[in-house]
Amino acid sequence: MIKIICGAKGSGKTKKIIDAANESVAVAKGHLIFITDTKRYMYDLKREIRFIDVSDYSVAGEEALCGFIKGAIAGAYDNEYVYIDGVARIAGKNLKDMAQLFYMLEKVATLRGLTVTLTCSCAEEELPDFIKKYL
């Protein structure tokens, strides 16, 4: 399952995704992964959540991000929740050009039984159709 948190810059998306990650600790039976491109929010997450700052790994582009996410998920078979804050910013692309990443995420989420939550910096009505279906 894929979930989207969208809104303009400064609308509180990061706080919402951090809150969602922290709340899921209470119900999760498997691992939780939080992927972002800054260490700024590292201490806002509960310690049970595996925090990954992609800037430590020089992830550049959509294909590199796809491979990185797959690698992070492959690290443990019992992953349950994956949170990605600022997916377009990390990939360095516009959301409208990221259909490949969302297709990969949907496929992996279905195969592995994951709940993937992402933040997207744009208004709901501006989301591409391939992303709107996850609202």
Side-chain angles (χ1 to χ4, degrees), residues 67-115:
F68 186 86
I69 293 168
K70 288 178 188 177
I73 292 168
Y77 195 77
D78 62 343
N79 292 309
E80 190 173 354
Y81 294 93
V82 177
Y83 297 90
I84 306 170
D85 185 32
V87 67
R89 184 180 64 240
I90 295 169
K93 292 182 87 172
N94 289 321
L95 285 171
K96 65 180 178 59
D97 300 323
M98 296 181 63
Q100 175 187 343
L101 179 111
F102 282 86
Y103 170 75
M104 181 278 299
L105 286 173
E106 182 176 0
K107 186 175 176 181
V108 170
T110 302
L111 287 172
R112 300 291 298 269
L114 297 171
T115 299

Side-chain angles (χ1 to χ4, degrees), residues 12-75:
K13 297 178 302 297
T14 297
K15 181 172 178 4
K16 288 178 187 173
I17 197 169
I18 288 170
D19 289 346
N22 285 332
E23 289 169 11
S24 64
V25 168
V27 296
K29 294 176 181 77
H31 290 119
L32 298 94
I33 302 170
F34 192 96
I35 299 171
T36 188
D37 62 348
T38 179
K39 289 179 180 40
R40 184 175 176 187
Y41 306 106
M42 173 191 227
Y43 299 108
D44 295 335
L45 293 165
K46 292 185 178 180
R47 64 179 177 81
E48 295 88 352
I49 301 168
R50 190 168 103 196
F51 178 85
I52 303 172
D53 177 0
V54 295
S55 63
D56 290 340
Y57 302 97
S58 302
V59 173
E62 183 180 13
E63 288 184 31
L65 180 58
C66 283
F68 186 86
I69 293 168
K70 288 178 188 177
I73 292 168

